[in-house]
Amino acid sequence: MKRMNIWMLSALLALPASAQKITTQHEVVDCGQVVFHKPVTAEFVLKNDGHKPLVINNVLKSCGCTEVDYPKTSIAAGESFVIKAVYDAKQMGTFTKQVCLYTNADEEPFILSMRGRVVGSVVDFAGSYDGMLGVIKSDAQEVEFDDVNRGDRPVQRIHIFNPTDEVLEPVVMHLPSYLHAFVSPSKVAPRHSAEISFVLDSKKLRDLGLNQTSVYLGERPGDKIAPEKEIVVSAVLLPGFENMTPAKKALAPKIEMSATDLNLGSFNGKKKLKGEILITNKGKSELDIRSMQMFTMGLQVKLKKSKIQPGETVKMKVTAVAADLKKSRVRHPRILIITNDPDHAKVVVKIYVQ
């Protein structure tokens, strides 16, 4: 019995360091466009997820242009609390301000960030919102990163609009490790717009050619994934030829396509449409078709051989399946071909059907 008590005591002594903690759904609040000389407030909702009262001992700010309001009394276990940071907006341009909370939960500070862009006047998106992501309107349902080289960190953006009578906190869900997404502003008022920035970390892409995934736009943190909220994200990673010498390049393969636009006509009740394209190697060494990928379901491709000798021609047969094409949210059927031709490492074939 004594041994059991000693074990329990050891466990309890070790508990506070891991069990006493602060949680929040937003460590970063994006304020979006902020009008010059109009202070902006970022509200952070946090929770004491520990097993004892939480005390904020000290708060440090990254600069004197930010004021912070925080609870001065202890916060009971399981309770939520709010930190308010106010930025004076007296300097034009982008800003990122940090607030460091020193508490009895950890020796290291809990860091919150607010960011945005101070402007002379707010500029609204001038385009149209032709798509829907759940209840949120959008100007696009696809995001594409073309011609990415290993090491690049390209950014693509889409615009969204809140047509509801509620304040929404859009969040991009189901992100892979190579993709980051930021919504600006973090909270979108009724009948106001926002921008989603997608940042690609190409170093984390595994495969050459097409890397495609689906992410989902929720109305607020904790929302559920649903097909109508899907955003298809495509990234095309190119092979590198930067170390190829002029002599080797002169002996390289050269791909020639009989067409890169293939019109298969109209289904008119047909289940499938078929066509073909000729691929010829006009170079001086073996042409390697490293991969052939489809940007959308509903396309089938057959190639007799993937390694084509100089002067040789092979047929690429293409089949479009009506039922599968109708299910796809990708609007433009295409085929991606990755080769070892340094001048045409990527070839895209556009497929047209009615």
Side-chain angles (χ1 to χ4, degrees), residues 26 54 65-66 107 128 132 143 159 174 194 261 267 284 315 321 331 348:
H26 296 292
L54 176 73
C65 55
T66 308
E107 292 182 0
S128 59
M132 293 294 296
V143 175
H159 299 88
H174 207 259
D261 289 352
F267 283 106
K284 297 182 179 180
K315 289 181 181 180
V321 182
R331 298 180 182 179
V348 175

Side-chain angles (χ1 to χ4, degrees), residues 3-169:
R3 289 183 181 178
M4 179 63 72
N5 287 337
I6 291 173
W7 180 88
M8 291 175 64
L9 178 61
S10 299
L12 289 171
L13 289 173
L15 185 62
S18 59
Q20 184 67 8
K21 62 180 181 179
I22 304 170
T23 59
T24 180
Q25 291 181 329
H26 296 292
E27 292 182 17
V28 179
V29 169
D30 195 307
C31 302
Q33 299 181 75
V34 178
V35 177
F36 184 55
H37 271 306
K38 288 192 175 181
V40 61
T41 301
E43 290 192 2
F44 301 87
V45 180
L46 301 95
K47 184 179 180 181
N48 176 9
D49 260 345
H51 299 291
K52 64 180 181 179
L54 176 73
V55 178
I56 301 176
N57 300 314
N58 192 19
V59 173
L60 294 183
K61 307 169 292 183
S62 57
C63 77
C65 55
T66 308
E67 296 297 328
V68 182
D69 181 33
Y70 63 95
K72 307 300 190 298
T73 57
S74 65
I75 302 145
E79 278 194 5
S80 296
F81 59 101
V82 175
I83 303 290
K84 294 184 180 180
V86 182
Y87 174 60
D88 63 18
K90 292 180 180 178
Q91 186 172 342
M92 297 288 286
T94 59
F95 66 88
T96 300
K97 304 300 175 183
Q98 292 185 325
V99 176
C100 299
L101 306 180
Y102 288 87
T103 73
N104 63 334
D106 199 322
E107 292 182 0
E108 297 296 322
F110 191 89
I111 300 175
L112 302 171
S113 299
M114 66 182 297
R115 65 185 179 211
R117 181 161 56 95
V118 180
V119 296
S121 60
V122 174
V123 178
D124 290 326
F125 174 59
S128 59
Y129 300 96
D130 298 324
M132 293 294 296
L133 298 168
V135 301
I136 300 173
K137 291 185 176 182
S138 69
D139 70 329
Q141 293 168 297
E142 301 172 47
V143 175
E144 295 185 2
F145 295 91
D146 287 328
D147 299 345
V148 177
N149 295 296
R150 185 76 72 181
D152 291 349
R153 287 183 65 87
V155 179
Q156 294 287 357
R157 296 177 175 86
I158 66 172
H159 299 88
I160 59 175
F161 181 81
N162 175 11
T164 74
D165 294 324
E166 302 178 51
V167 175
L168 300 181
E169 296 183 59

Side-chain angles (χ1 to χ4, degrees), residues 257-260 262 275-279 314-318 349:
M257 310 282 292
S258 61
T260 53
L262 184 59
E276 65 180 36
I277 291 175
L278 300 179
I279 301 177
V314 298
K315 289 181 181 180
M316 181 177 79
K317 296 182 179 180
V318 180
V349 179

Side-chain angles (χ1 to χ4, degrees), residues 203-257:
K203 290 183 179 179
K204 293 184 178 180
L205 291 175
R206 186 178 63 181
D207 301 319
L208 289 176
L210 180 63
N211 293 262
Q212 195 172 64
T213 190
S214 290
V215 299
Y216 301 84
L217 184 64
E219 298 169 28
R220 52 185 54 84
D223 200 357
K224 294 182 179 179
I225 290 173
E228 63 271 16
K229 303 174 185 178
E230 181 186 20
I231 303 171
V232 179
V233 182
S234 304
V236 177
L237 182 63
L238 300 179
F241 296 100
E242 60 275 5
N243 296 324
M244 179 175 278
T245 65
K248 288 184 177 180
K249 194 170 183 179
L251 298 174
K254 292 187 181 298
I255 187 171
E256 183 179 275
M257 310 282 292

